[in-house]
Amino acid sequence: MAKREEPNSLVLIDGECNLCNGLVQFIIKRDKAGRFRFAPLQSPVGQRVLREGGMNVSDFDTFVLVESGRLYTRSAAALRIVRKLDGGWPLLYGLTVIPSALRDAVYRIVAKNRYRLFGRKDACLLPTPEVRNRFLEEER
């Protein structure tokens, strides 16, 4: 029996955040199967997804993972992503045994200080030609 292909997951990031852009590069490097696609939270695609998911369209303090129509944020999104990466990264999914309130408290501290710690871009990330097809730029 052939392995069933799962639909692509969408990762929405703050396109002006260096930490978030580094996260995208980290995921791309460890996602040889190309399961993840990306869009800035500030983009038309990101704004539409946030609106449809009932989320605040002006809050960029979290990244969002969309899988099978369901939205995940903060540590839940991060752990669901590492679960699908190549190498030993899926082992980190075991951190789900830590209560989400504690995981998300740490996440919020980093998110609140991300520009101070990692810097900020004046514009959203421009993908290289090799990975451009993994970025959603326009409404579909």
Side-chain angles (χ1 to χ4, degrees):
M1 178 183 277
K3 184 178 178 184
R4 194 178 123 211
E5 285 295 316
E6 61 184 86
N8 285 337
S9 298
L10 175 61
V11 179
L12 301 175
I13 56 134
D14 177 351
E16 297 175 358
C17 169
N18 286 335
L19 175 61
C20 298
N21 288 310
L23 173 69
V24 169
Q25 298 305 317
F26 177 87
I27 293 169
I28 288 171
K29 190 174 185 180
R30 291 157 183 84
D31 177 29
K32 303 295 184 210
R35 292 180 190 95
F36 295 100
R37 303 201 56 201
F38 307 92
L41 288 159
Q42 299 92 332
S43 71
V45 171
Q47 292 289 290
R48 178 183 51 80
V49 171
L50 292 175
R51 265 191 317 278
E52 290 174 358
M55 295 184 68
N56 183 339
V57 296
S58 61
D59 178 12
F60 306 131
D61 283 349
T62 185
F63 71 98
V64 178
L65 171 66
V66 183
E67 284 184 323
S68 303
R70 186 159 178 208
L71 280 63
Y72 300 90
T73 60
R74 300 181 187 84
S75 65
L79 292 173
R80 291 184 74 85
I81 289 170
V82 296
R83 178 177 74 164
K84 293 184 178 180
L85 297 180
D86 300 323
W89 296 103
L91 295 173
L92 290 176
Y93 191 70
L95 294 174
T96 57
V97 299
I98 298 171
S100 62
L102 181 59
R103 295 189 325 251
D104 287 346
V106 173
Y107 183 98
R108 278 190 207 63
I109 291 169
V110 173
K112 183 177 180 179
N113 295 293
R114 71 190 184 281
Y115 293 139
R116 187 172 55 78
L117 295 171
F118 300 99
R120 182 177 192 159
K121 295 185 177 299
D122 291 332
C124 292
L125 169 76
L126 294 174
T128 63
E130 298 82 30
V131 297
R132 187 173 308 274
N133 66 332
R134 297 191 53 192
F135 287 79
L136 300 178
E137 298 174 16
E138 299 178 17
E139 291 288 337
R140 293 186 188 243

